[in-house]
Amino acid sequence: MTLIILWLIQDLLTVFSGGGMQIPGLFILGIVYKLLIDSGSDSAKGLTAIWCAFAGGILWDLRWVGIPGFFTLGYVTVVIIVIQVWALIPPQGRISGTGWLVFLLMEFSQLIPPLLPVLILGGSAGWVFFIRQQANSLPAILLTMYIYSRKVKNSQKV
Amino acid sequence: MDNTRNTSREWAHGLTALIIALFLLGVSSGLGVMKSIVDIWGTVLSIPEYPALIMREVYLHWRSRSQSQDFLNDEVTRLKEENAKLRIDLARVSGEKSYSVTSSDVRSARVTLRAPMSWWSEIRIDRGEHDRITQGLAIFSDGYLIGRVSSVSLMSSWAELITSPSFMIPVVIEETRELGVVMGNGDGNVYLRYIPASKGAARAGMNISTAMIGEQLPPGLPIGKITGEFAVGPDGYATYKVEPGADLSRFYTVSY
């Protein structure tokens, strides 16, 4: 449900900006956040994340790209990488000392999806789009980092 | 063991999703049905997107209104400046007209008294109420303004000269349209004051005449020329010496 809301928020913000401003990928950021928070419990969540990313990517492509596959590829790639990288960290070590890794994974989620269309289609306009999107994504990443750190702290208290 | 299996499953699902995505990317661009699907999805999303669309329209309306407000403010400022210039030009034209009317309907009066104690301040003329003289009426000599009527009696009037220290009238430099104030010093000299020294483009030989902003005298009445002598006060305003067009040492009659 949270992911649907995030997808809709991302969509509504894009409608509101009218294409004049590149909106951060809130949907994929939400998936990454959930993977990092809930990871390690069971693989079903990882699989759910993969297919959620796939569905969200398809729908996004249908809405804003017109050709399904661009953002779908990016979203699924991000999820696979996050699952695999996070699986390399032992569950005991995921709490402390992984701040930079969490940041990098979240940044990665904002880097890959818009990068693929630029690499495939090319063009200077695409690069401008990409750079703007990266700049706009940073506040969203920092906010997610903040929510993540609070969540981790609360879970440690419990 | 379970962990390895989980990882394998995740890889399998992930790669499957990637392959499907690549397949869609490869074939969908050539499929005509994709356009219909995109349209249908767009129509479905138009319902939840409606508030965002409205908000965008409101925002754009507000922004354009704000921009047009700025534009209107700039336009008003520009028009005000233009209006001020036009008023000055109009004053000049109407002043010339009034001067020509004055010239065409010129009447003369004889100077009957010029007291040595107030030599540069006032004169008495032999025309009064009976001759339709009114307070504030401009008087001329040689076609130039030399003063205005300060008090009227039935058969005579007193006129204050431009060399009087209490005679202050707003004027305009005709060549530059700068506004200032002409005033006498009581010793036979006339000065033009309150011209900004930094911006002032006043030069010797420029003509000055009454400005429209003075209510008592009609605009455009010629007074004299700037002689070029000036001093800059600590307030940043320059004072120019003015040579009256009329010879104030030798006049026996005035016109009005």
Side-chain angles (χ1 to χ4, degrees):
Chain A
M1 188 62 188
T2 312
L3 292 176
I4 293 172
I5 291 170
L6 281 174
W7 193 97
L8 274 175
I9 290 172
Q10 188 177 327
D11 181 58
L12 295 182
L13 285 174
T14 309
V15 171
F16 182 75
S17 73
M21 187 178 127
Q22 279 64 52
I23 303 300
L26 300 177
F27 171 71
I28 190 66
L29 203 57
I31 290 180
V32 171
Y33 171 80
K34 284 185 86 66
L35 276 174
L36 298 182
I37 286 292
D38 301 334
S39 61
S41 51
D42 61 70
S43 70
K45 284 186 177 171
L47 300 184
T48 309
I50 288 171
W51 291 110
C52 277
F54 180 84
I58 287 273
L59 294 176
W60 191 259
D61 285 329
L62 287 175
R63 177 64 183 91
W64 292 105
V65 183
I67 303 168
F70 284 105
F71 278 82
T72 315
L73 266 178
Y75 285 0
V76 172
T77 306
V78 166
V79 170
I80 291 172
I81 289 170
V82 169
I83 289 172
Q84 297 309 318
V85 169
W86 203 236
L88 294 175
I89 313 287
Q92 296 83 359
R94 287 174 186 169
I95 306 298
S96 59
T98 54
W100 278 106
L101 183 62
V102 170
F103 176 80
L104 283 175
L105 290 174
M106 287 183 179
E107 175 57 41
F108 199 68
S109 75
Q110 301 299 301
L111 194 76
I112 295 295
L115 186 63
L116 286 177
V118 175
L119 291 176
I120 293 169
L121 298 174
S124 57
W127 283 107
V128 173
F129 173 92
F130 174 72
I131 291 165
R132 279 188 187 170
Q133 207 267 350
Q134 292 305 300
N136 293 336
S137 297
L138 203 57
I141 293 171
L142 294 174
L143 182 68
T144 315
M145 282 281 293
Y146 174 72
I147 296 168
Y148 173 81
S149 63
R150 284 196 62 147
K151 182 91 175 172
V152 169
K153 270 183 187 174
N154 288 339
S155 65
Q156 278 178 320
K157 281 178 188 173
V158 173
Chain B
M1 187 70 179
D2 279 348
N3 199 20
T4 312
R5 191 183 294 166
N6 286 345
T7 309
S8 302
R9 285 181 68 191
E10 283 164 356
W11 270 115
H13 280 262
L15 288 174
T16 307
L18 279 179
I19 288 164
I20 296 172
L22 277 170
F23 174 76
L24 285 172
L25 191 61
V27 299
S28 61
S29 57
L31 291 176
V33 70
M34 202 50 67
K35 203 173 175 182
S36 305
I37 295 171
V38 169
D39 288 344
I40 291 167
W41 182 231
T43 310
V44 171
L45 279 176
S46 66
I47 298 163
E49 285 173 357
Y50 187 71
L53 211 60
I54 295 292
M55 282 174 69
R56 177 172 165 73
E57 280 177 13
V58 169
Y59 167 73
L60 288 176
H61 178 71
W62 171 80
R63 200 177 70 169
S64 71
R65 198 174 163 186
S66 159
Q67 283 175 342
S68 65
Q69 189 73 37
D70 289 344
F71 171 76
L72 284 175
N73 285 340
D74 291 345
E75 197 66 5
V76 165
T77 308
R78 192 185 67 79
L79 287 172
K80 273 184 178 174
E81 288 171 359
E82 190 178 325
N83 192 37
K85 286 177 185 170
L86 288 172
R87 284 181 69 177
I88 291 168
D89 286 344
L90 181 66
R92 189 181 179 190
V93 171
S94 61
E96 284 169 356
K97 206 180 282 180
S98 70
Y99 178 61
S100 65
V101 169
T102 308
S103 303
S104 65
D105 190 23
V106 67
R107 295 176 186 182
S108 61
R110 196 162 53 87
V111 178
T112 54
L113 182 63
R114 190 173 183 183
M117 293 295 288
S118 56
W119 187 257
W120 298 111
S121 295
E122 56 182 2
I123 56 169
R124 193 181 69 185
I125 57 175
D126 65 347
R127 296 286 186 269
E129 275 180 17
H130 187 69
D131 305 293
R132 287 185 287 181
I133 299 281
T134 54
Q135 193 173 354
L137 186 73
I139 58 168
F140 303 87
S141 176
D142 302 331
Y144 286 90
L145 180 76
I146 59 166
R148 66 183 164 203
V149 175
S150 55
S151 64
V152 185
S153 58
L154 192 62
M155 302 297 288
S156 65
S157 304
W158 284 94
E160 188 179 24
L161 296 174
I162 58 170
T163 46
S164 167
S166 59
F167 188 93
M168 297 173 75
I169 51 165
V171 295
V172 61
I173 302 172
E174 292 187 355
E175 285 79 3
T176 64
R177 309 312 297 170
E178 286 177 292
L179 295 167
V181 173
V182 152
M183 58 191 297
N185 69 347
D187 291 323
N189 294 314
V190 181
Y191 294 97
L192 170 63
R193 300 191 65 184
Y194 308 134
I195 302 295
S198 56
K199 291 190 282 184
R203 298 284 180 274
M206 289 184 172
N207 297 298
I208 56 172
S209 59
T210 53
M212 192 188 186
I213 51 179
E215 290 179 0
Q216 292 176 320
L217 295 172
L221 304 178
I223 294 174
K225 291 178 187 294
I226 295 173
T227 60
E229 297 172 24
F230 72 96
V232 180
D235 51 2
Y237 291 97
T239 301
Y240 293 81
K241 193 171 180 185
V242 174
E243 183 186 358
D247 187 351
L248 293 172
S249 296
R250 280 192 308 180
F251 66 96
Y252 302 98
T253 58
V254 297
S255 52
Y256 62 91

